Amino acid sequence: MVKFLEKVGGYARDVLESAKYIGQGMGVVFDHMRRKPVTVQYPYEKLIPSERFRGRIHFERPKCISCEVCVRVCPINLPVVDYEFNKETKKKELNSYSIDFGVCIFCGNCVEYCPTSCLSMTEEYELSVYDRHELNYDDVALGRLPTRVTDDPVVRPIRELAYLPKGVMDGHLEDPGSRRAGELPEEIVARLRPADQSSGTDAKKEGE
């Protein structure tokens, strides 16, 4: 009898969980049913990627010191740094720099650990070519502009639905340069800092 009740209880829990998941899925469906379709006229209009989007890597040659940190932190030792050591100045002089995006996994380690910030992630995702050897970008190709959709004068940038303010459903009606939904990291730190300082003051008083 006990085993039978346990089976019935387990079956009832499974039914309730299934009903919950179905309800969540239908909630998403009904939410999208009331939205109007938004057509992006690509390539004349492009969606603005998320803030932490990792696209083509941008390279600033004057900042590079040929330290090869990017090569050491790369999981596949991808960047090719060709340099010569100047005995008079006792410094490395960069000859060429290249990254093969046909092999790159866009992990961002090279950008994160670069000591001079000569590498940065861009919003460019259009890397389709007919020959994969064309994906081997040299320092000239890596340094091309623009690096953001909002900086491209021939493209109309449109913000994605997830980054529109509350109540706005069409990205064509919103200024691409306006404030995005949510708080910036520095705003979150500023909001939490007074609470941290007050808790530290209270702890200090208790210690006295």
Side-chain angles (χ1 to χ4, degrees), residues 93-129:
E93 295 182 354
L94 180 67
N95 291 330
S96 63
Y97 187 95
S98 63
I99 295 177
D100 189 355
F101 289 112
V103 185
C104 179
I105 61 175
F106 296 92
C107 63
N109 284 350
C110 56
V111 176
E112 187 72 22
Y113 290 97
C114 181
T116 60
S117 300
C118 68
L119 296 172
S120 59
M121 288 292 186
T122 69
E123 297 180 354
E124 184 177 348
Y125 50 84
E126 298 167 313
L127 299 175
S128 299
V129 293

Side-chain angles (χ1 to χ4, degrees), residues 4-18:
F4 174 75
L5 294 176
E6 290 178 352
K7 290 183 179 180
V8 173
Y11 178 76
R13 284 193 298 269
D14 293 340
V15 171
L16 291 176
E17 289 182 0
S18 301

